Amino acid sequence: AQTIHQWPVAEIKAVGSPLSLGCTIKGKSSPNLYWYWQATGGTLQQLFYSITVGQVESVVQLNLSASRPKDDQFILSTEKLLLSHSGFYLCAWSLEAGGDQDTQYFGPGTRLLVL
Amino acid sequence: SQLAEENSWALSVHEGESVTVNCSYKTSITALQWYRQKSGKGPAQLILIRSNEREKRNGRLRATLDTSSQSSSLSITATRCEDTAVYFCALASSGSWQLIFGSGTQLTVMP
């Protein structure tokens, strides 16, 4: 069975500090991977997607970057956090090509508070 | 303005009652998905309905799609306390990797 793991579970960081969030999918090869951001009580905003190792596409600019160093790993990072980066970060995976074909399976999320 | 919006910010019902969540959208789509997000968790897909389909069922759930009025509904029958969650519609278009989520409706099912 496939599993999706996100780390850390939660972070409290200072404005201007760096950040690295991780996501690992086990049990599926060559998944499509996605990063989402959700403000408290808000909707989900897709940030990045990746269909293969080393290739990442940006959907919206939030002073964040993403990388896919391995087939089963997706990393979200920034060198300088802003207050507006606070929220809930979700990693998701899918198998089929395109949102009209597939189900996206979400991880448990990382809650980030920037002070 | 948002491309997808649920028409109610919050709904509450008693266990056993039926409830409908509505979604309106403002762009061309090839599919619409309904997701449920329980407090502190990631969303989980409930139903995917394509633009050439008018209705889709999944157990106690029934989704409809009307592309002429650009609207969709998700009905839940025989509600249970564990149905308490935020319900999102999400838009998909052919050739696009992006899922556009609506603002969400908080459903509370009371005992």
Side-chain angles (χ1 to χ4, degrees), chain A residues 31-49:
Chain A
N32 304 311
L33 298 176
Y34 311 85
W35 276 113
Y36 285 83
W37 172 78
Q38 184 178 32
T40 301
T43 188
L44 289 92
Q45 171 68 63
Q46 195 176 78
L47 302 176
F48 299 94
Y49 68 87

Side-chain angles (χ1 to χ4, degrees), chain B residues 11-17 79-81 84 107-111:
Chain B
L11 294 169
S12 63
V13 296
H14 286 97
E15 235 182 349
E17 293 177 341
T79 54
R80 304 166 182 166
C81 288
T84 292
L107 172 65
T108 302
V109 182
M110 300 172 290

Side-chain angles (χ1 to χ4, degrees), chain B residues 13-30:
Chain B
V13 296
H14 286 97
E15 235 182 349
E17 293 177 341
S18 298
V19 66
T20 297
V21 180
N22 294 297
C23 169
S24 57
Y25 59 91
K26 298 178 183 177
T27 187
S28 177
I29 64 170
T30 49

